[in-house]
């Protein structure tokens, strides 16, 4: 229902802004730009779905081997104490907890292509437990918000873009992104817990959050002892080794259980194609609405308004030039990536604005894209409190990113 209102709002606001530009400013190009954006966005949505087909087939095939080989059950048992508190509606030891962990682990290492199919597999498992098939369940919402908060330990793609655009130290945003995304995830957990009346003062949850905080502090300390070159080597190698170990580990587990790993892979991979086709309408709907909103100039007016407001408050407004990336990130990952690259190209990769845009890009995830793809893959139309909780996590990530960027680079 919330997505329905947001979808309508994008079109209505775009129409009003475009009409004002045409009547009062004589801008005859605004409506052609909007119409062109609908075609471009629809094509982009199809291209994304088509591009996901191969990746979905690969990882759903690997997940099938892991499922038959017992790996998912092992993860379920290990995570059961924590997940029974954060996901009280999931039966203790249920295999879906293993799928959730694999998805979150892939996200933390910045493995976007691997995280999506793993997340879709988790959503299918959660839908099996869902008694109201058109309505998001509490576990689905907690899982989605953990995704949209974008907890990332190693932001590989951002560091690669910085290197390509001539940053002297491409990895200098590593620690700021790690801190900002941690606060975003923490805010998301708290927001969902308040809505769902989950007791966060439980000993298990406190131990987990405290342990996670210590773990992040340890990572920060470890990387501060390394040179920039070594940070690049460690971060890239860790992500790729982790990804390959998943594949090898699942295959070995399948062999140990005497599973026909080839047939299991093929059976799982078949689901990849049907899933990719199933999400096309949802992606077309949300990306076209976002494209129309951008083409009408509404996004530009929001940014200019924020800059004026910040100036009136007497606050340093240098960060405002990077805000398009922050505002676009919940709407479109590729759009935010383009705005991040544009900021680094315009102001310089090592400028405050360039670094700020990178931290914005890494501090949250594509909330509406994730909601459209994940909920769309299982036919969920009533999202309940998923959108407000996801946006609260995004807001926490944006605010913390601003403070952290000034702390490190201001």
């Amino acid at each position: 229902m919330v997505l329905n209102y947001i979808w309508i709002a994008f079109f209505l606001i775009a129409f009003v802004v475009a009409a004002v530009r045409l009547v009062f400013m004589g801008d005859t190009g605004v409506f052609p730009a909007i119409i062109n954006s609908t075609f471009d966005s629809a094509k982009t949505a199809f291209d994304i779905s088509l591009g996901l087909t191969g990746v979905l087939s690969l990882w759903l095939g690997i997940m099938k081997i892991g499922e038959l080989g017992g790996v998912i059950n092992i993860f379920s048992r290990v995570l059961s104490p924590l997940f029974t508190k954060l996901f009280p509606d999931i039966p203790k030891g249920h295999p879906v907890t293993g799928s959730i962990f694999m998805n979150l682990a892939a996200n933390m290492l910045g493995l976007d292509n691997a995280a999506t199919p793993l997340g879709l597999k988790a959503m299918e498992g959660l839908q099996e437990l869902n008694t109201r098939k058109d309505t998001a369940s509490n576990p689905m919402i907690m899982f989605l918000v953990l995704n949209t908060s974008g907890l990332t330990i190693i932001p590989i793609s951002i560091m690669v873009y910085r290197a390509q655009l001539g940053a002297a130290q491409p990895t200098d945003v590593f620690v700021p992104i790690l801190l900002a995304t941690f606060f975003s995830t923490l805010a998301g957990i708290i927001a969902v817990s308040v809505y769902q009346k989950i007791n966060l003062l439980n000993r298990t949850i406190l131990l987990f959050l405290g342990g996670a905080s210590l773990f992040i502090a340890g990572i920060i300390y470890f990387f501060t002892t390394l040179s920039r070159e070594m940070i690049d080597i460690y971060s890239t190698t860790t992500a790729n080794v982790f990804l390959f170990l998943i594949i090898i580990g699942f295959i070995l587990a399948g062999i140990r259980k005497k599973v026909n790993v080839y047939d299991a892979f093929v059976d799982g991979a078949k689901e990849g194609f049907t899933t990719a086709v199933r999400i096309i309408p949802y992606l077309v709907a949300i990306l076209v609405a976002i494209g129309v909103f951008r083409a009408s100039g509404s996004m530009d007016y929001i940014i200019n308004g924020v800059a004026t407001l910040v100036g009136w408050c007497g606050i340093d407004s240098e960060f405002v030039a990077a805000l398009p990336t922050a505002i676009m990130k919940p709407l479109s990952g590729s759009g935010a990536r383009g705005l991040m690259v544009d900021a680094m190209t315009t102001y310089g990769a090592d400028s405050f604005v360039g670094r700020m845009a990178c931290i914005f890009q890494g501090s949250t995830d594509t909330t509406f894209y994730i909601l459209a793809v994940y909920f769309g893959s299982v036919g969920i139309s009533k999202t309940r409190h998923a959108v407000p909780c996801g946006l609260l996590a995004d807001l926490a990530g944006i605010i913390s990113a601003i403070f952290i960027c000034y702390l490190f680079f201001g």
Side-chain angles (χ1 to χ4, degrees):
M1 186 64 71
V2 176
L3 281 177
N4 175 53
Y5 292 138
I6 291 172
W7 195 73
I8 293 172
F10 278 145
F11 280 99
L12 292 181
I13 292 172
F15 175 77
V16 171
V17 171
V20 169
R21 290 178 62 180
L22 176 64
V23 174
F24 294 99
M25 302 170 61
D27 187 352
T28 57
V30 62
F31 278 102
I34 287 177
I35 296 302
N36 289 336
S37 75
T38 63
F39 293 110
D40 293 340
S41 299
K43 182 178 182 299
T44 299
F46 179 78
D47 290 342
I48 290 173
S49 299
L50 190 64
L52 279 175
T53 304
V55 177
L56 283 171
S57 297
L58 168 64
W59 284 99
L60 290 180
I62 295 296
M63 284 293 289
K64 191 68 174 179
I65 297 173
E67 180 182 339
L68 297 178
V71 178
I72 303 303
N73 287 330
I74 292 174
F75 283 124
S76 299
R77 289 195 297 270
V78 171
L79 294 171
S80 184
L82 172 64
F83 278 25
T84 53
K85 306 302 180 184
L86 289 179
F87 300 89
D89 295 335
I90 298 179
K92 188 175 181 179
H94 194 280
V96 74
T97 57
S99 299
I100 291 173
F101 170 78
M102 296 300 296
N103 167 261
L104 296 179
N107 272 326
M108 285 189 286
L109 292 176
L111 307 175
D112 298 334
N113 289 338
T116 299
L118 294 173
L120 293 174
K121 184 67 176 179
M123 283 297 288
E124 290 176 4
L126 291 171
Q127 180 70 330
E128 292 175 5
L129 298 172
N130 190 10
T131 56
R132 299 168 62 189
K133 299 302 182 183
D134 65 338
T135 304
S137 64
N138 283 348
M140 283 181 174
I141 294 173
M142 176 63 84
F143 173 60
L144 262 294
V145 172
L146 286 174
N147 268 270
T148 60
S149 62
L151 180 59
T152 304
I153 294 177
I154 305 175
I156 295 173
S157 60
I158 294 175
M159 293 190 291
V160 168
Y161 280 113
R162 287 184 55 74
Q164 290 176 338
L165 291 171
Q169 303 292 347
T171 58
D172 57 9
V173 297
F174 171 80
V175 174
I177 288 175
L178 181 63
L179 293 172
T181 190
F182 175 74
F183 288 116
S184 173
T185 300
L186 188 61
I189 292 175
I190 293 173
V192 177
S193 297
V194 170
Y195 267 97
Q196 299 181 3
K197 297 180 172 59
I198 296 173
N199 180 19
L200 289 177
L201 299 179
N202 179 276
R203 183 178 65 178
T204 302
I205 295 178
L206 287 176
L207 286 173
F208 167 75
L209 293 179
S213 300
L214 290 174
F215 176 67
I216 288 180
I219 291 176
I220 292 172
Y221 173 76
F222 173 70
F223 277 96
T224 56
T225 63
L226 301 176
S227 66
R228 298 298 180 183
E229 294 76 13
M230 291 303 297
I231 290 177
D232 283 337
I233 294 172
Y234 271 98
S235 59
T236 304
T237 303
T238 299
N240 288 312
V241 168
F242 176 81
L243 189 58
F244 192 62
L245 281 177
I246 291 176
I247 298 174
I248 296 298
F250 280 24
I251 292 175
L252 291 177
I255 293 173
R256 181 175 174 274
K257 287 281 188 177
K258 298 184 172 153
V259 174
N260 187 324
V261 293
Y262 180 80
D263 287 345
F265 177 85
V266 171
D267 288 340
K270 289 177 182 177
E271 301 175 17
F273 180 78
T274 56
T275 300
V277 171
R278 193 160 59 239
I279 66 177
I280 290 175
Y282 298 91
L283 270 182
V284 170
I286 196 68
L287 291 187
V288 167
I290 292 169
V292 166
F293 188 77
R294 290 180 63 192
S296 69
S298 301
M299 180 68 74
D300 295 332
Y301 288 122
I302 291 174
I303 297 300
N304 293 335
V306 171
T308 302
L309 180 62
V310 169
W312 284 345
C313 295
I315 302 173
D316 181 67
S317 60
E318 191 175 4
F319 72 91
V320 174
L323 270 183
T325 303
I327 295 175
M328 182 56 62
K329 187 61 188 286
L331 304 176
S332 169
S334 59
R337 192 178 303 112
L339 290 170
M340 176 190 71
V341 172
D342 179 69
M344 286 193 286
T345 303
T346 303
Y347 297 94
D350 290 327
S351 66
F352 180 85
V353 173
R355 289 182 172 124
M356 182 84 264
C358 292
I359 299 172
F360 279 146
Q361 175 74 3
S363 62
T364 60
D365 214 325
T366 50
T367 299
F368 290 104
Y369 170 84
I370 290 174
L371 290 174
V373 171
Y374 282 31
F375 280 146
S377 70
V378 292
I380 295 294
S381 57
K382 299 175 182 177
T383 60
R384 298 174 62 212
H385 50 278
V387 172
C389 287
L391 292 178
L392 281 172
D394 290 339
L395 179 61
I398 291 170
I399 293 173
S400 60
I402 293 172
F403 282 101
I404 290 166
C405 191
Y406 274 102
L407 177 65
F408 277 79
F409 308 114

